[in-house]
Amino acid sequence: MAMMKMKINGYRLRALLSTSLSSSPFHSVPSRTFSSSSFENVGFIGLGNMGSRMANNLLKAGYKMTVHDVNCNVMKKYSDMGVSTKQTPFEVAEASDVVITMLPSSSHVLNVYNGPDGLLQGGDLLTPQLFIDSSTIDPQTSRKLAVSVSNCILKEKKENWENPVMLDAPVSGGVVAAEAGSLTFMVGGSEDVYLAAKSLLLSMGKNTIFCGGPGNGSVAKICNNLAMAISMLGLSEALALGQSLGITASTLTKIFNSSSARCWSSDSYNPVPGVMQGVPSSRNYSGGFASKLMAKDLNLAAASAEEVGQRCPLTFLAPNIYTEICNDGHETEDFSCVFQHYYSGKSKRNYVHLCKYSLVAKSIGFHPNNSRWT
């Protein structure tokens, strides 16, 4: 019995060393080559807007799927498609070599892993070799779960897999990229395990980026969304100020996109209605990335900054702005709606009409801003 405990502890130690030090240039840890050939049975939990499209692409790639979702209608849809459905996460784990989760928040992820009938309710003995969480959650939760998973052992060892392992692999690209199978995965964990899982991830996306040890995928995701939100706020503020000072958003956008102010928000996702086609601002901010989700991600960034004592004034201001527009009833609108609902920016059409009205009013001596005649 003592020898068995020593052997298990040895497996655990090697797994933890592999995941925590694999990205460091100051350590040399012997690596193992993990094979992806045993990923025949894939479990998927969380079949919402993103998860359902990711799961569909895995089905197209020929993987044998077992799925679970709290929405009974979604479960029936997959059952009617001939896909195996289970009532609990634990049942999904028992039928799978690898389990992927795509859930709304840290609390949902913790419940799926540690709650009643959760993925880890089998005790120390687990069936899946690999757990991949693609949810956008805080790095601390990702790291705690990675340790919990690595502290277990496999019911049946296959090839070089001695212990179950976990990757945090949040995504960028949104629903459109999930549908097209062109997501970008930001992956944290053991690099050897990442390489083994890469072909599986590429069945759902076109890019995978290894970010380092456990939790670093989650770090990359919240930092990416933080930069994206602050960029959108800065652009919206500049465009709204420009309009107030008499220049059109179209003209400012042309200037920004050919100068040092150029950014993704200006040249690919412009927030001013009428300036750019095919983006949420051109369809009354429908579709895209909901403001409530941006507020959630920004709160994750703020909590993480507070935990490590990092000075981040914009990180703490941004979630307040998005929380405000959500409280004003715009939580389901794309996050670019901040231009209109926080900065009171005008659409291209409304701005032109306002300018014409102002010119006419000025010509007859009326000032619209203070409602008086001169």
Side-chain angles (χ1 to χ4, degrees):
M1 179 64 71
M3 289 297 292
M4 176 61 75
K5 288 183 177 179
M6 288 177 64
K7 188 175 181 181
I8 291 173
N9 287 334
Y11 290 153
R12 292 174 178 172
L13 179 59
R14 284 199 299 275
L16 287 172
L17 285 172
S18 173
T19 55
S20 61
L21 302 179
S22 61
S23 62
S24 172
F26 304 106
H27 300 272
S28 177
V29 179
S31 63
R32 287 179 287 155
T33 301
F34 293 88
S35 172
S36 61
S37 61
S38 54
F39 296 160
E40 298 174 1
N41 303 298
V42 178
F44 206 107
I45 298 173
L47 301 167
N49 289 333
M50 293 292 292
S52 61
R53 290 163 171 82
M54 294 164 69
N56 290 345
N57 283 323
L58 289 171
L59 287 169
K60 292 175 186 176
Y63 288 98
K64 182 180 179 182
M65 301 285 293
T66 302
V67 302
H68 169 75
D69 193 90
V70 294
N71 188 324
C72 295
N73 292 330
V74 172
M75 291 273 277
K76 184 179 186 306
K77 174 185 173 183
Y78 278 89
S79 180
D80 291 345
M81 291 166 55
V83 178
S84 174
T85 59
K86 300 293 182 182
Q87 294 302 310
T88 67
F90 177 72
E91 291 177 283
V92 173
E94 289 294 284
S96 305
D97 302 312
V98 53
V99 176
I100 302 170
T101 47
M102 185 52 144
L103 301 161
S105 68
S106 299
S107 60
H108 291 93
V109 174
L110 286 171
N111 186 60
V112 163
Y113 273 83
N114 298 327
D117 298 316
L119 293 171
L120 303 184
Q121 287 308 296
D124 285 344
L125 294 174
L126 300 180
T127 299
Q129 299 143 269
L130 176 60
F131 296 85
I132 300 174
D133 181 41
S134 288
S135 316
T136 300
I137 64 174
D138 62 282
Q140 296 83 358
T141 297
S142 294
R143 288 166 177 157
K144 289 174 184 176
L145 286 175
V147 171
S148 296
V149 169
S150 69
N151 281 336
C152 300
I153 59 176
L154 290 171
K155 287 183 179 180
E156 180 183 344
K157 295 180 176 58
K158 297 180 181 180
E159 300 172 348
N160 287 334
W161 297 85
E162 297 174 343
N163 295 79
V165 289
M166 183 175 182
L167 297 173
D168 47 286
V171 301
S172 179
V175 172
V176 173
E179 180 83 37
S182 58
L183 293 167
T184 292
F185 285 86
M186 296 160 267
V187 188
S190 161
E191 188 168 10
D192 295 326
V193 176
Y194 156 74
L195 292 173
K198 192 170 182 178
S199 60
L200 176 68
L201 297 176
L202 288 175
S203 296
M204 301 174 282
K206 67 176 182 180
N207 296 307
T208 64
I209 302 171
F210 180 65
C211 302
N216 279 14
S218 295
V219 172
K221 178 59 188 290
I222 64 173
C223 288
N224 178 79
N225 282 17
L226 170 64
M228 182 169 68
I230 291 175
S231 173
M232 181 60 75
L233 291 172
L235 177 72
S236 296
E237 191 166 305
L239 289 169
L241 176 61
Q243 285 184 334
S244 297
L245 295 174
I247 190 170
T248 68
S250 295
T251 300
L252 267 183
T253 296
K254 290 176 183 177
I255 294 169
F256 291 166
N257 290 345
S258 59
S259 66
S260 55
R262 184 176 186 175
C263 61
W264 177 81
S265 296
S266 68
D267 70 6
S268 300
Y269 213 79
N270 198 282
V272 183
V275 168
M276 182 178 293
Q277 296 303 308
V279 295
S281 63
S282 70
R283 50 179 184 267
N284 202 28
Y285 299 108
S286 65
F289 188 59
S291 292
K292 65 179 179 180
L293 296 179
M294 180 58 84
K296 183 209 79 169
D297 291 355
L298 291 171
N299 282 317
L300 291 177
S304 296
E306 187 172 20
E307 182 165 334
V308 297
Q310 177 65 40
R311 185 181 181 186
C312 296
L314 297 180
T315 300
F316 291 99
L317 176 62
N320 292 337
I321 293 175
Y322 275 98
T323 297
E324 181 177 326
I325 64 173
C326 288
N327 291 340
D328 288 342
H330 308 293
E331 61 177 12
T332 61
E333 294 178 33
D334 180 74
F335 79 104
S336 61
C337 76
V338 70
F339 167 77
Q340 197 167 81
H341 300 313
Y342 185 82
Y343 291 107
S344 300
K346 304 293 187 294
S347 69
K348 180 180 178 180
R349 180 181 179 184
N350 287 345
Y351 182 77
V352 170
H353 286 173
L354 179 63
C355 288
K356 289 180 178 178
Y357 173 76
S358 297
L359 287 172
V360 172
K362 186 177 180 181
S363 69
I364 61 175
F366 181 71
H367 286 247
N369 288 338
N370 55 19
S371 299
R372 66 182 177 84
W373 294 88
T374 58

